[in-house]
């Protein structure tokens, strides 16, 4: 019977590679037919504090809002309705607000 190695792996992902992979995976949630963008926000302790992708905001139906890139009226394009980085940052900011108790 051969002896099993008891050393740690050398081929694990470094932190930047790991976080980029999380952002890439998040981007796969996007229903945008033209671009898929993911975001991963990390704190100083290498903890993920937010992720997001370019999709419609919670509560907005992605079946009712437009996916066009250009139109005569900007409201008929996808741009006013969702951005991956913006929503990730907003979610993080809201989750770190101090709780007020009466």
């Amino acid at each position: 019977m051969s002896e099993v190695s008891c050393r740690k792996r050398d081929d694990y992902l470094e932190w930047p590679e790991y976080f980029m992979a999380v952002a890439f995976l998040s981007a796969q949630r996007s229903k945008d037919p033209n671009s898929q963008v993911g975001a991963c926000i990390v704190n100083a302790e290498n903890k993920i504090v937010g992720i997001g992708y370019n999709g419609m905001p919670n509560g907005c139906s992605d079946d009712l809002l437009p996916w066009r890139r250009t139109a005569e009226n900007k409201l008929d394009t996808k741009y006013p309705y969702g951005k991956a980085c913006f929503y990730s940052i907003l979610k993080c900011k809201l989750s770190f607000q101090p709780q007020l108790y009466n």
Side-chain angles (χ1 to χ4, degrees), residues 23-39 52-55 67 69 78 84:
F24 177 80
L25 186 61
S26 297
Q28 303 310 300
R29 287 282 307 145
S30 174
K31 296 177 183 109
D32 190 318
N34 299 302
S35 59
Q36 295 76 46
V37 179
Y53 58 91
N54 61 321
W67 290 104
R69 285 182 156 184
K78 62 184 178 177

Side-chain angles (χ1 to χ4, degrees), residues 1-5:
M1 199 152 125
S2 66
E3 188 167 321
V4 178
S5 175

Side-chain angles (χ1 to χ4, degrees), residues 22-72:
V22 170
F24 177 80
L25 186 61
S26 297
Q28 303 310 300
R29 287 282 307 145
S30 174
K31 296 177 183 109
D32 190 318
N34 299 302
S35 59
Q36 295 76 46
V37 179
C40 179
I41 299 174
V42 181
N43 69 14
E45 289 86 35
N46 287 325
K47 303 290 185 209
I48 296 174
V49 294
I51 58 173
Y53 58 91
N54 61 321
M56 297 300 173
N58 289 344
C60 296
S61 171
D62 54 23
D63 292 324
L64 300 176
L65 294 171
W67 290 104
R68 290 181 212 81
R69 285 182 156 184
T70 60
E72 280 188 37

Side-chain angles (χ1 to χ4, degrees), residues 93-101:
K93 182 167 176 48
L94 292 175
S95 67
F96 287 115
Q97 294 294 322
Q99 297 294 320
L100 300 177
Y101 299 96

